[in-house]
Amino acid sequence: MPTDNYRAIELLSRTPYGRVSASRRALPFTTVARHLVLDGRLVLRLHQGYGYHQALDGSVVAYEADNVNSGEDDTWSVQFTGTARVVEPTPLERQLFGSSPRLADGAPYAPVFLRVEPEFVTLHYLTDVPVFRGAHSV
C-alpha cells in the first residue's frame, strides 16, 4: 500500500464519523456513517432504517472523513472509493465500533454494516486554514 494510503488510514483513526455517498436511481445521496479501518478495508456502520444500505450493497461508493471545523491550522480530507458490500461484523468488530446512537430521526437506531474494498484512496491537505466564526449569508 502506498505511503499516502497509510497516512490516510492513520488520519481516519482520528475521527469516528464520515459521510458515504452513492447514487440511488441515478440520484446522488450522502449519509453519515461510523467507520473503522480493518486490514486495509473500510467497515461502515449506518442506520438500517434509512434503507441506504440496499442502494449501497454492490455499488461503487465514496466515503469521506475530515477534520473540518476542528480548529487545527491544517485541514485534511480523506476519501475512499470502492465497492461496498453488506456484511455481518464479528463480535470483536462490533465491540470496536462502540455503542450505537440511541435514535436516528426519532426512531430506534438499527445498525447495518458495510465493507468497502478501496480502489482509490485520496488525501488532501489545506494549510494555514483561517478560522471562521460562524456561517455567513449574503
Side-chain angles (χ1 to χ4, degrees):
M1 189 177 281
T3 304
D4 279 353
N5 288 8
Y6 288 119
R7 180 71 176 136
I9 289 169
E10 188 272 327
L11 288 170
L12 279 179
S13 70
R14 295 183 185 187
T15 183
Y17 285 87
R19 292 151 295 283
V20 62
S21 300
S23 64
R24 190 172 172 174
R25 292 184 293 257
L27 297 173
F29 69 92
T30 300
T31 191
V32 68
R34 170 84 168 91
H35 66 263
L36 295 174
V37 180
L38 303 169
D39 297 323
R41 295 176 185 91
L42 199 59
V43 181
L44 306 179
R45 180 183 71 194
L46 55 145
H47 177 52
Q48 185 176 21
Y50 296 148
Y52 293 149
H53 64 288
Q54 295 164 335
L56 296 170
D57 190 30
S59 296
V60 173
V61 303
Y63 184 78
E64 190 272 340
D66 57 52
N67 71 336
V68 173
N69 297 323
S70 68
E72 294 181 27
D73 290 336
D74 296 341
T75 296
W76 55 263
S77 172
V78 172
Q79 183 172 309
F80 270 57
T81 303
T83 303
R85 296 280 181 205
V86 172
V87 295
E88 184 58 39
T90 66
L92 175 60
E93 289 171 342
R94 281 185 179 268
Q95 185 179 6
L96 291 172
F97 272 104
S99 299
S100 295
R102 191 172 62 83
L103 299 174
D105 295 337
Y109 187 92
V112 65
F113 299 85
L114 296 157
R115 186 174 318 277
V116 180
E117 293 285 340
E119 295 292 325
F120 304 102
V121 178
T122 307
L123 173 59
H124 294 290
Y125 281 99
L126 298 174
T127 302
D128 296 329
V129 177
V131 177
F132 293 99
R133 301 277 184 236
H136 301 279
S137 57
V138 181

